[in-house]
Amino acid sequence: MHKTRNYLFHLYMALFLFYLLAPLVVMGGAAFNDSRFPSILPWRGFTTQWFTDLAADGRMWIAFRNTVIVAIAVVALAVPIGTAAAILINSVTGRVRTVLYGMMVAPILAPGAVIGISTLLFWNQFSVPAGLHLSVLGQVSYIAAFVMLLVLARLQSFDVALEEAALDLGAGHGMVLRRILLPHLYPAIGAGAAIAFFQSIENFNVTLFTRGNADTLTVYVFSKVRTGITPTINALALVMISVTLAGAIFYELRRRRLERLYAE
């Protein structure tokens, strides 16, 4: 019985990984197929033409630059807002806590198109034109909630006695925040920053309604799909996935090396 359960578990994991990775393999293979249509069948020969075309696509690089700028701005705003909200919610109780928590989480439940249109209409009342700055504000309105949830979960393991002891010993609230609370929250803050960055990069609905005439990667890909998609999109996706995987592998190797150093 135990062997059967292990076999079924490994079979399930193999099928699950195949389900996740097979589309990525097909997508990556299409980036090297010498065909105007992004596919691997029929295979017409190996080529790197689509990567060359991608490198020469000036509009794509402008969209990439805009996407990174927006993502960095979103991280810069969402992380402190989400962290402050988590600390505030964790410090209150009763109905006030419920109301604050509901207000922060509500944007996650709203469709992206609703957030985008609402952001555009709201700031239009103050004569603020559409542009990447509105894309940043619209994205922060819901991405900050992801940061808050991560930090709030981390706060559950915080020993309040450490804070009280520091205050009894003469430390100010600012010093307690910098020296005790924030170091405990750094892992969650770092994870929140990473999630905020990638959530911003892949955002489409909010950006589409608030961007004005500026391009981001998601809008650029959408426009390519409408006007005629080519394997340059596959080449772009393969590059982005490769960079993400390389970053994840580097982080994991660094984490294991630090664990070995601390263990010694």
Side-chain angles (χ1 to χ4, degrees):
M1 184 66 181
H2 181 69
K3 290 183 178 180
T4 303
R5 188 161 53 245
N6 284 342
Y7 172 78
L8 292 176
F9 173 75
H10 287 94
L11 177 62
Y12 169 78
M13 288 300 300
L15 292 175
F16 180 71
L17 291 175
F18 176 80
Y19 173 77
L20 289 179
L21 298 178
L24 299 182
V25 173
V26 173
M27 179 275 302
F32 297 100
N33 187 15
D34 192 8
S35 171
R36 293 291 302 175
F37 186 76
S39 65
I40 60 173
L41 294 175
W43 184 261
R44 301 186 181 278
F46 181 86
T47 182
T48 58
Q49 172 190 347
W50 310 119
F51 292 92
T52 303
D53 292 349
L54 179 66
D57 191 340
R59 182 186 170 191
M60 188 281 296
W61 288 111
I62 293 175
F64 176 78
R65 181 198 64 191
N66 292 340
T67 300
V68 173
I69 291 174
V70 169
I72 292 174
V74 168
V75 171
L77 292 177
V79 169
I81 291 174
T83 302
I87 295 174
L88 176 61
I89 290 173
N90 190 65
S91 64
V92 297
T93 57
R95 186 171 298 178
V96 176
R97 179 190 178 106
T98 303
V99 172
L100 290 176
Y101 184 84
M103 289 177 59
M104 286 297 298
V105 173
I108 298 180
L109 306 178
V114 172
I115 295 177
I117 295 173
S118 300
T119 302
L120 184 64
L121 293 178
F122 175 80
W123 288 104
N124 186 57
Q125 300 299 314
F126 301 96
S127 300
V128 178
L132 294 179
H133 52 286
L134 285 193
S135 297
V136 171
L137 295 177
Q139 292 179 29
V140 167
S141 66
Y142 78 95
I143 291 178
F146 290 108
V147 180
M148 180 207 71
L149 292 174
L150 287 170
V151 176
L152 195 59
R154 180 70 175 176
L155 279 170
Q156 305 310 308
S157 63
F158 178 68
D159 188 359
V160 183
L162 295 175
E163 183 176 340
E164 295 174 351
L167 292 173
D168 290 340
L169 292 173
H173 289 281
M175 180 176 292
V176 171
L177 179 67
R178 294 192 308 271
R179 299 291 183 86
I180 297 177
L181 184 58
L182 286 182
H184 178 77
L185 298 179
Y186 281 157
I189 293 174
I195 289 178
F197 184 83
F198 288 111
Q199 280 283 331
S200 175
I201 285 181
E202 63 87 27
N203 180 269
F204 173 70
N205 289 326
V206 175
T207 305
L208 181 65
F209 289 101
T210 57
R211 66 187 177 91
N213 294 323
D215 269 340
T216 62
L217 274 179
T218 52
V219 175
Y220 166 80
V221 171
F222 176 70
S223 67
K224 294 287 286 185
V225 171
R226 293 181 60 189
T227 59
I229 191 171
T230 67
T232 54
I233 299 299
N234 298 78
L236 174 63
L238 184 60
V239 170
M240 294 182 66
I241 291 174
S242 299
V243 171
T244 302
L245 287 177
I249 292 172
F250 172 78
Y251 172 80
E252 183 62 20
L253 292 176
R254 182 174 179 272
R255 184 185 67 81
R256 293 185 180 185
R257 183 173 63 85
L258 291 176
E259 283 184 352
R260 287 196 299 267
L261 290 176
Y262 290 142
E264 294 174 357

